[in-house]
Amino acid sequence: MPTIEKIPAYEPPAGVMNDRVVLVTGAGDGIGRAVSIALGKAGATVILLGRTVNKLEKVYDEILAAGGPRPAIYPMDLEGAVWDDYLELADRIDAEYGRLDGLLHNAGLLGRRSPIEFYDPVEWQRVMLVNATAPFLLTRACLPVLRKSKDASVVFTSSGVGRKGRAHWGAYAVSKFATEGLMETFADEMENVPNIRANAINPGATRTNMRAKAYPGEDPMSLKTPEDIAGKYVWLLGPASAGKQGISFDV
Ligand code: NDP
């Protein structure tokens, strides 16, 4: 079991992310969208990675309208991407910015809910690829640019079902266990690397498309919004959480 801690209440002070370059996956919608905007408002240069360009363009416009630094749009489908695509992304970050100060592995697929007995094998591979393998590939490819940062924070996205399995959550639950394991393994390897830290975040029930798909009968208005929790992601990606390593955080 990982060490679990709660993130304190946090309102990002103006400029707290100035001069930081942060890559967010799944930046076009849901939690990734809200966190990208919060990062931009706090002064970060955000690299918006996702598979639906028009959604990324809207986030880009919102960050500029809020007075944030000019973000970058990086269209990439984590299902179709191969290792060379990851290396190219890291090379382009290096050429453009010379470092990477934050990496939020946020993109995720729920997959169909089904007992293991009937779980579709192709669906299993897709969910594991996007939720667990892509964060490994992206972390591995970006490590050289993360090493060039003075204070790089790598954040993996977990879930309650990534700590305790639950019937019918199939590959989603297993992929989140894998994510916790990847974070712990990587954080342990970074223990003596003072400028790179890795932690996980479990947002808890949040009003997004994924949550609505998982719980169709639930009243979305009873849930916190991505905007409500975005500041806590800034806490974990920014200087306020300096020194935290290998912890699985609950929002
Ligand atoms: P959403 O479904 O609202 O957003 C997921 C984002 O990931 C979308 O922008 C989506 O892109 C992107 N994405 C999915 N597949 C790919 C892919 N192959 N390549 C690139 N991008 C992709 O989900 P949430 O915002 O709710 O979830 C964000 C994270 O939080 C996930 O990791 C999820 O598991 C986790 N989480 C969420 C909880 C909740 O209650 N909402 C609870 C616990 C954990 P597109 O817009 O193009 O579909």
Side-chain angles (χ1 to χ4, degrees), residues 150-233:
K150 285 201 281 284
D151 171 34
S153 173
V154 182
V155 177
F156 296 87
T157 305
S158 187
S159 162
V161 294
R163 297 177 189 152
K164 169 115 183 53
R166 202 180 304 156
H168 304 174
W169 282 78
Y172 181 84
V174 175
S175 71
K176 294 301 188 181
F177 270 89
T179 299
E180 294 269 359
L182 172 60
M183 179 280 286
E184 274 189 57
T185 305
F186 179 62
D188 201 40
E189 289 167 3
M190 293 298 115
E191 197 186 29
N192 297 317
V193 180
N195 59 323
I196 301 180
R197 55 205 160 94
N199 297 282
I201 188 165
N202 167 20
T206 308
R207 195 190 306 163
T208 66
N209 293 337
M210 183 187 288
R211 178 76 191 184
K213 204 173 142 206
Y215 294 90
E218 184 177 67
D219 175 10
M221 299 316 281
S222 67
L223 302 172
K224 61 189 185 303
T225 66
E227 288 72 22
D228 291 336
I229 62 173
K232 295 196 174 191
Y233 278 75

Side-chain angles (χ1 to χ4, degrees), residues 25-33 49-53 55-56 76-80 105-110 126 130-131 157-160 172 176 201-212 215 223-224 226 233:
T25 70
D29 214 334
I31 295 169
R33 172 187 169 278
L49 187 151
R51 62 180 174 178
T52 310
V53 174
K55 290 187 184 180
L56 300 174
M76 185 158 155
D77 183 343
L78 299 171
E79 252 186 78
H105 297 291
N106 164 80
L109 274 187
L110 178 66
R126 292 180 61 220
V130 173
N131 295 6
T157 305
S158 187
S159 162
Y172 181 84
K176 294 301 188 181
I201 188 165
N202 167 20
T206 308
R207 195 190 306 163
T208 66
N209 293 337
M210 183 187 288
R211 178 76 191 184
Y215 294 90
L223 302 172
K224 61 189 185 303
Y233 278 75

